Amino acid sequence: MKRERFEAKTLWIETSRDWNGRYWIAWKPDVSLSFRDRAAMVKWLAWPKGTPTRASLDSWLDSLAAADAERESRSRDPQPDLPLSDELLATGFGPECHDIDNENTRTVI
């Protein structure tokens, strides 16, 4: 996934997602830190709430949170697990077709 960047004067924030969720890398002059928590990052940045830059940062972070929520809702499988058909059980493919306690089952690699 491509990283997204927020830039304001001497501050850069890059963000992306991995298997643990969203993370941010924030750069201030001579310092950079990685964050997993949005509140901790905003506290470390120490920008006053009334500034236009802080308002644009908050709106950018809100848009990222909305995109993550949409991605999570799309990734959920809406269909329940369907029961196995007799044809599928007769072929013997897949771990659900074998007795797990049976040690004589061969593994094909």
Side-chain angles (χ1 to χ4, degrees):
M1 175 178 197
K2 184 179 175 184
R3 287 186 178 182
E4 298 181 42
R5 178 180 272 193
F6 177 82
E7 296 181 24
K9 297 182 184 179
T10 59
L11 172 73
W12 290 358
I13 302 171
E14 280 191 3
T15 184
S16 188
R17 290 180 51 90
D18 62 5
W19 57 90
N20 290 327
R22 179 148 315 265
Y23 65 91
W24 294 273
I25 302 171
W27 288 275
K28 287 197 316 190
D30 301 324
V31 181
S32 66
L33 286 176
S34 176
F35 295 96
R36 289 275 179 189
D37 183 30
R38 172 184 171 167
M41 179 187 65
V42 171
K43 184 177 180 180
W44 180 76
L45 293 174
W47 274 0
K49 284 189 178 182
T51 61
T53 306
R54 173 67 186 265
S56 64
L57 173 66
D58 287 338
S59 68
W60 181 67
L61 292 173
D62 291 339
S63 69
L64 291 174
D68 289 345
E70 180 184 349
R71 182 179 291 120
E72 290 295 324
S73 68
R74 278 188 288 140
S75 69
R76 293 191 186 112
D77 187 15
Q79 298 176 354
D81 292 334
L82 300 175
L84 298 174
S85 66
D86 293 334
E87 179 184 354
L88 193 66
L89 289 172
T91 59
F93 289 111
E96 61 277 349
C97 298
H98 297 284
D99 184 11
I100 295 174
D101 297 330
N102 187 358
E103 296 178 6
N104 296 327
T105 304
R106 293 183 179 179
T107 303
V108 178
I109 298 176

